[in-house]
Amino acid sequence: MIQLLFTLIASEMLLILLFSFKTPLRKLVILAVDRMKRGRGPIMVKTVAGTVLIVLLSSLNSMVTIQKRWVDDGAVTPTDQVLMVRHLLEATLMGGSLFLALMIDRLHHYMRELHIRRKGMEVIKKQSRAMEEGKVSSKSEEIKALEEERTDLQTKLKHLELELESKAKDVSATEANVVALRKQSEGLLLEYDRLVEENQNLRSQLQSVDRRLSRSGSKKNS
């Protein structure tokens, strides 16, 4: 029994060392523990742990009984001493084996969690890299579109500047024509005024001539 418990503890310590250090055997140990936790493995492990716990409680009960016997008898026999040491050693080994089994289970659980989180972090890193590359490509496309738009706007601006220059020339020519027409209209108005004045003079002269003719005609008749 004691040799078996020593062998069990040594195996558990070896598993803990394999879990603690990154070696090629660690993946194999993790896979082996994974398979043990599937199917009937957990039931078998719980059965063995329950049996060891019952034996541990039995050893503790025996130790308490021997202790009471020592108190009641007041003497310690060599047989009781040997049994006490044996039960104490067995209880220590069984308790240590249960504790190490619990540590192996927790280490395996945390190793699995760490492995899953590392995979999740790798996936997140890949997604972030893809998003950054997509952003860079979209930014480059946006920059190209802006450059094309800038070129189009510059072309339109040059066209508008040329059109503005031609319109300005047309406006200046029109203004010159307006000034010339204004001067010509002023000259025509002056000429019109002069002709109106001459017309009035001619009418007045004609009227005076008519009056004279009418006077001379009346004189002849008389």
Side-chain angles (χ1 to χ4, degrees):
M1 183 70 179
I2 294 176
Q3 292 180 354
L4 180 61
L5 290 173
F6 271 117
T7 304
L8 180 61
I9 289 176
S11 301
E12 289 173 344
M13 291 177 66
L14 180 61
L15 284 176
I16 291 173
L17 289 174
L18 292 175
F19 274 128
S20 301
F21 298 98
K22 189 175 182 180
T23 58
L25 294 175
R26 185 167 70 176
K27 292 182 178 180
L28 297 175
V29 173
I30 292 173
L31 291 175
V33 176
D34 286 337
R35 291 182 179 179
M36 287 179 61
K37 288 186 176 182
R38 295 174 186 172
R40 297 180 180 178
I43 298 174
M44 293 176 63
V45 171
K46 289 178 181 178
T47 303
V48 173
T51 303
V52 173
L53 183 61
I54 291 171
V55 176
L56 173 61
L57 293 175
S58 177
S59 297
L60 292 174
N61 189 22
S62 299
M63 290 171 63
V64 171
T65 303
I66 293 171
Q67 188 71 28
K68 286 182 179 180
R69 190 186 307 163
W70 287 355
V71 173
D72 293 337
D73 295 341
V76 180
T77 61
T79 304
D80 290 336
Q81 289 181 352
V82 171
L83 290 174
M84 187 68 174
V85 171
R86 183 180 180 84
H87 288 306
L88 180 62
L89 181 59
E90 287 180 352
T92 304
L93 292 176
M94 284 185 287
S97 64
L98 291 174
F99 177 76
L100 292 176
L102 181 62
M103 290 297 101
I104 290 171
D105 180 67
R106 291 296 87 195
L107 281 174
H108 175 262
H109 176 72
Y110 292 137
M111 292 294 292
R112 293 290 298 172
E113 288 289 332
L114 182 61
H115 183 67
I116 292 170
R117 291 190 178 183
R118 282 180 179 175
K119 284 187 175 181
M121 289 297 294
E122 289 178 358
V123 172
I124 292 171
K125 286 181 180 179
K126 289 180 180 179
Q127 290 178 353
S128 62
R129 288 177 183 174
M131 290 177 67
E132 288 178 357
E133 291 176 357
K135 287 182 180 179
V136 170
S137 61
S138 63
K139 285 183 179 179
S140 62
E141 291 177 357
E142 187 177 356
I143 290 170
K144 289 181 180 178
L146 290 174
E147 288 179 353
E148 291 178 357
E149 187 177 358
R150 179 185 176 186
T151 305
D152 294 336
L153 290 174
Q154 287 179 349
T155 305
K156 290 180 180 179
L157 181 61
K158 290 180 180 178
H159 180 70
L160 289 173
E161 287 177 353
L162 293 174
E163 188 175 357
L164 182 62
E165 289 178 359
S166 63
K167 294 291 183 182
K169 290 179 181 179
D170 293 338
V171 168
S172 60
T174 304
E175 288 179 352
N177 291 328
V178 167
V179 172
L181 290 172
R182 187 178 294 171
K183 289 180 180 180
Q184 187 177 1
S185 64
E186 289 177 355
L188 290 173
L189 287 172
L190 292 173
E191 184 69 19
Y192 176 77
D193 292 336
R194 187 182 64 80
L195 290 173
V196 168
E197 186 177 358
E198 287 181 357
N199 189 11
Q200 288 178 355
N201 293 328
L202 289 174
R203 283 183 179 179
S204 61
Q205 290 176 4
L206 182 63
Q207 287 177 359
S208 62
V209 169
D210 289 338
R211 288 174 183 174
R212 289 176 185 178
L213 287 173
S214 63
R215 287 177 182 175
S216 60
S218 62
K219 285 180 181 182
K220 286 180 180 181
N221 292 326
S222 60

